[in-house]
Amino acid sequence: MKVEEIQARVRQNLYVYTNHGDIERQADELTFTQVEEALLNGEILEQYPNTGRGESCLILGYAGEIPIHIVCGWRGERVAIITVYIPSLPNFINPRDRG
């Protein structure tokens, strides 16, 4: 996946949330606008070529000062937001490094 392709789809409103992605977004009290902002200024941290459900990637972006991780995949021509969370311990010691 390429971040430029993902960002182009987001700008065109060609993205969807999975059920899990929206539940996790709400759990961290993130708004749709914050997630969109993070996607538009984000970078790919990890590529997952084939997880059994197709290609996906982990994006790190920021909404203001808030770091946000977004796992994205493809659903046809749309970007699927698979999960969204604020990286924190014990899984991440900072937004870029796993704990």
Side-chain angles (χ1 to χ4, degrees), residues 1 44 46-58 72-74:
M1 297 185 80
I44 293 176
E46 297 175 358
Q47 292 273 5
Y48 313 122
N50 191 350
T51 60
R53 295 183 178 171
E55 182 181 21
S56 60
C57 67
L58 171 64
C72 297
W74 294 112

Side-chain angles (χ1 to χ4, degrees), residues 4 29-30 33 40-41 49 51 54 57 64-65 67 69 91 94 98:
E4 298 83 9
E29 299 180 349
L30 294 167
T33 302
L40 291 174
N41 70 50
T51 60
C57 67
E65 298 293 316
H69 279 181
N91 296 325
N94 63 52
R98 289 189 181 271

Side-chain angles (χ1 to χ4, degrees), residues 16-25 28 30 35 39 48 57-59 68-73 75 80-86:
V16 295
Y17 280 83
T18 64
N19 231 7
H20 178 76
D22 196 42
I23 289 168
E24 293 300 309
R25 178 192 64 78
D28 277 1
L30 294 167
V35 174
L39 282 167
Y48 313 122
C57 67
L58 171 64
I59 292 177
I68 302 174
H69 279 181
I70 306 126
V71 176
C72 297
R75 295 300 180 272
I81 297 173
I82 298 166
T83 195
V84 177
Y85 57 90
I86 297 172

